[in-house]
Amino acid sequence: MKKLLSLFIIILIAFSCGELVPNPDDNAENITREHPKQKKVNDFAIVIHGGAGTILKKNMTDEKEAEYKAKLEEAITVGYTILKNGGTSLDAVEKTINVLEDSPLFNAGKGAVFTNAETNELDASIMDGSNLNAGASAGTKTVKNPINLARKIMENSPHVMMAGNGAETFAIEQGLEIVSPEYFSTEKRMQSLKRVKAKEMQKEKEIDSESAFYDADIKDSKFGTVGCVALDKNGNLVAGTSTGGMTNKRYGRVGDVPIIGAGNYANNATCAVSGTGWGEYFIRATVAHDISALIEYKGLSLEAAANEVIQKKVPNLGGNGGIIAIDKYGNIEMNFNTAGMYRASMNDKGELVIGIYSK
Ligand code: ASP
């Protein structure tokens, strides 16, 4: 009888310790980790951006606006068609970005902004969410399409990032199209450089040079990067970003774009993210990886994760900009804290959304 009683007590203790009974907290944990609303919403999808900044309707002509929209539509249609026909997100991202790089409208490829020394130095990166492979190039002056170089570095070299002359030598070896440095030069960007330099000089007279560099007006003329994220029919997520960086940048400055996890990141377990904004802040806030990590470790939805980083973390540090993203369920996110961001998305039904301003 005594033995039976002690057996009963042991079973009772085991139950109350939660050994044999499921812990209600475990359940709660599962609910947060695997959000109940998170179901596949798109079999494939694609999103692009053409830079964020002070893009205001009052400063835009109807013709200019139509020109931007037409180029965004042309670019995204290239990627969408690849995905619809069962192509890979890698091809979709690369070919879509090529259209934007070849257009002088955006600060990537032709149309890249000028450095303080009146050169064009381009950065790019691409990441494959299926295996976490990545490739990035920094500070190139002669590679026509830096996103192609980033992909070659990812696929055909043992490295993740190459910079300057070395990256250009590798591009030649890989048979990529090489152009003279003047190819990237446009009058519009030269005028921006002159404006920024003039403002900087004026400010320097008033206050110390450090504050002048971060003057709000100067800051605003710097954005215009391009990016693309895509989910293909096989569930593979890819992110790509390409830029001329920031107008008036100095001394081999490299921004967030080729820094994996800052301006670009993809992981099939979470999402693909491409950023645009003030690179120094995007590096320090590890923007793209942070969004992925909030999904992976905290179970946040893509939208909540993007809000946390773009609406809170980046502005709290003093930076600005935006991101485009797609998660593994095909949810689409375009999130920015600036007045505008050139952007477009297409879902698996072929529905096209194009936007420029915040409202
Ligand atoms: N993030 C880029 C950079 O800092 C600039 C941009 O997005 O326009 O190089």
Side-chain angles (χ1 to χ4, degrees), residues 147-320:
I147 196 71
N148 300 12
L149 174 56
R151 183 169 177 181
K152 292 283 187 204
I153 291 169
M154 174 172 80
E155 292 180 338
N156 297 347
S157 90
H159 308 302
V160 169
M161 193 195 293
M162 291 186 188
N165 292 343
E168 289 176 349
T169 305
F170 183 71
I172 296 168
E173 277 172 24
Q174 292 293 313
L176 292 180
E177 192 171 348
I178 303 298
V179 290
S180 83
E182 289 73 47
Y183 163 81
F184 299 105
S185 160
T186 56
E187 188 48 35
K188 179 178 119 185
R189 299 298 186 196
M190 183 51 85
Q191 291 312 321
S192 306
L193 178 68
K194 287 190 174 145
R195 261 199 320 275
V196 171
K197 278 187 170 179
K199 279 207 167 165
E200 202 176 82
M201 266 171 57
Q202 182 195 332
K203 276 272 165 190
E204 267 169 26
K205 281 187 204 145
E206 294 165 19
I207 38 174
D208 64 284
S209 63
E210 173 84 343
S211 328
F213 189 66
Y214 297 117
D215 174 86
D217 291 336
I218 296 173
K219 181 181 76 183
D220 282 343
S221 62
K222 295 183 179 178
F223 302 159
T225 295
V226 307
C228 178
V229 293
L231 170 72
D232 65 25
K233 287 181 179 173
N234 290 321
N236 289 330
L237 287 163
V238 168
T241 311
S242 182
T243 189
M246 296 174 90
T247 304
N248 204 26
K249 65 184 183 183
R250 288 156 166 93
Y251 319 126
R253 181 263 189 190
V254 173
D256 58 310
V257 168
I259 311 287
I260 301 305
N264 203 64
Y265 190 76
N267 182 343
N268 275 10
T270 56
C271 61
V273 181
S274 166
T276 170
W278 198 342
E280 278 66 16
Y281 290 89
F282 274 53
I283 294 173
R284 290 165 56 212
T286 53
V287 165
H289 183 263
D290 238 39
I291 292 173
S292 168
L294 284 168
I295 297 171
E296 186 170 7
Y297 305 129
K298 273 196 128 186
L300 262 60
S301 68
L302 178 66
E303 187 188 5
N307 273 333
E308 191 63 36
V309 179
I310 296 299
Q311 304 302 332
K312 293 185 197 158
K313 188 174 181 183
V314 171
N316 286 350
L317 272 175
N320 57 354

